[in-house]
Amino acid sequence: MSSPEPVRSTHFIRNIIQEDLQSGKHQEIVTRFPPEPNGYLHIGHAKSIFLNFGLVQEFTGHCFMRFDDTNPINEDEEYVQAILEDVHWLGFDWQDRLTHASDYFQRLYDFAEDLIQQGRAYVDSQSQESIREQRGTLTEPGTASPFRERSTAENLELFRRMKSGEFEDGAHVLRAKIDMVSPNINLRDPVIYRIRKVTHQRTGNKWCLYPMYDYTHCLSDALEGITHSLCTLEFEDHRPLYDWVLDQLDVPCHPRQIEFSRLNLQYTVLSKRRLIQLVEEGHVSDWDDPRMPTISGLRRRGYTPESLKLFAERIGISKAENNIYMSVLEDCIREDLHSKAPRAMAVLRPLKVVLLNCPEDQEEELDAPVHQQFPDRGRRPIPLSREIFIEEDDFDEDPPEGFHRLVPGGEVRLRNAYVIRCEEVIKDASGKVIELRCIYDPNTSRGRKPEGRKVKGIIHWVSAAHAVQAEIRLYDRLFSQPTPGSDYPDKNFLLDLNPNSMEILSQAWLEPNLINAEVGIAYQFERLGYFCLDSRDSKTDSLVFNRIVTLRDSWGGK
RNA sequence: UGGGGUGUAGCCAAGUGGUAAGGCAGCGGGUUUUGAUCCCGCCAUGCGCAGGUUCGAUCCCUGCCACCCCAACCA
């Protein structure tokens, strides 16, 4: 099966790597994908995964899968497993390069003692509040801590006692001694170690002292021999600190940090805080709710790894703020599935049609291609009998201009079958159309056009006696505003939740061949869109399909 | 008001001191038993604004403007 060839335009990071390879600065490149295991991965992470893992496939090199687990308070093994599954599903293999920042805790600690020995780090024994006040503001310089000039011996002793658990949380911290009046606030003696008497998901109770991100990340990169450390724009201000730490210590190499802009996708949210809130407050069923922009949600919804890769290629890599249309993502899955998906007919909102000239005991076995453009994929059986279902909105008593479907007295083609004419419209007491009586033209089977008339419309249908009932879940965007919350003073994104983001249709009818549908395969329900079995809720005797995305519809009417 | 970034079409995004790639969207037309797909064509005298240098500037220089990020013992 062919997947779409991604459009490859170059970007500044690829250019840098090419130059480094050509100049001989590096023989191969090493990257890393470093999530904190405190939430599920989302499509923004996918952008980073495709970048980091993709680059090393494109050039020679390898990529580390590294968990940045320096803050045991928020982290959890559940997230670790979910993240590994997601990265793997996207198509990447880290081989034996699965690491954790916590693997380096001892080495990091030793480096810290080294810093102290050099007089480049000190133990501060002030309260968190004092440290914050002394940091200064954006426009005012910071002031020195009274503990800044402690002796090396005292610093070392205190630091060792911090490690051995003699002090309570918050009693002391270790700070890098850099520059309290730097215009870059990150350089005003940043805290690099804090006491946290909590159990770490990997190291247990071995440590009660945990290193901070800025100190940990650069050293982990250096220890792994990372050549290019790719991160998002908000870390740009941290780069001087990244470089400072590595410059002080005897490390194997000095990776280059390069920043790119994070993904912003309209009609959804991509911040961990907000995604957690959606899950915890029950606005969605779970992390893998098919409306979620998480990788697991997209997977359950029916998105393919190939479609997400296409998306990553399309949006590109740059340093500019971006605001991607949701339609770009939707178009990627359409493009991928168009060639892959077997075709089927399904009626979501059924309207009964009786074919008057079809005897009650008549059953005709028609068939149709699995995929019209790929005849070698075979054919599927399509039974026809006297009673069929068509889509409710494929009939209109009072049609708008340009309506190509069925109208009273009019003709339409049943897809893969005959042309029918509507003879009679049956309504219930309230005036609602509940049944159509039609006659079919037996001389209009496959490949045969009706004589002397043009039939423009084609509608899908299923045989009532043969159809399989199923529940179908129609999904729409989770939020009704492109930038959720932006119109409210408190930026409350929940107020923009789309109340119609999921519609459940429990009376849908499927062509009988769909009884063989498999989880993980997307089907095109002709004229409607792409659908797949819900991996959680579908059962063999009660099928549940998710709508992945609609087909494009250039007809504005309805 | 300090520091760090970014501004190329509706949305992304290449690009170069020599006259603006590509994708998505949009528009027009063709094919079609999916109003899908597919095919063809159109779509920036313009690169945030104003000056300057130059034969020539989106690119170099100067000055502005707008937006984003930074004052966790988060990452």
Side-chain angles (χ1 to χ4, degrees), chain A residues 36 68-72 75 101 105 108 112 128 135 159 172-176 186 189-196 209-220 235 238 241 245:
Chain A
E36 184 186 13
D68 220 336
D69 55 351
T70 59
N71 188 356
E75 298 160 6
F105 279 175
L108 261 27
Q128 197 167 334
R135 189 149 31 225
F159 189 52
H172 307 277
V173 292
L174 185 70
R175 290 229 254 170
N186 295 302
D189 290 10
V191 171
I192 57 176
Y193 266 96
R194 77 291 215 190
I195 299 171
R196 279 262 202 287
L209 195 60
Y210 293 99
M212 302 284 289
Y213 166 83
D214 285 307
Y215 178 74
T216 308
H217 202 84
C218 53
L219 288 170
S220 303
F235 293 103
H238 295 240
L241 178 51
V245 172

Side-chain angles (χ1 to χ4, degrees), chain A residues 8 12-13 26 51 74 79 120 217 274 309 318 353 408 417 424 443 483 491 495 499 510 520 524 540 542 545:
Chain A
R8 177 152 293 158
F12 75 105
I13 296 179
H26 299 297
L51 212 215
N74 309 311
Y79 298 127
R120 296 205 155 96
H217 202 84
R274 288 176 163 187
K309 176 168 191 185
S318 74
V353 172
E424 193 181 349
N443 298 314
T483 313
K491 302 279 183 251
L495 297 174
L510 314 176
Q524 188 197 90
T540 41
S542 59
F545 276 88

Side-chain angles (χ1 to χ4, degrees), chain A residues 330-342:
Chain A
E330 293 169 341
D331 198 66
C332 289
I333 187 61
R334 283 192 192 103
E335 182 167 331
D336 186 39
L337 259 23
H338 172 260
S339 61
K340 290 180 179 170

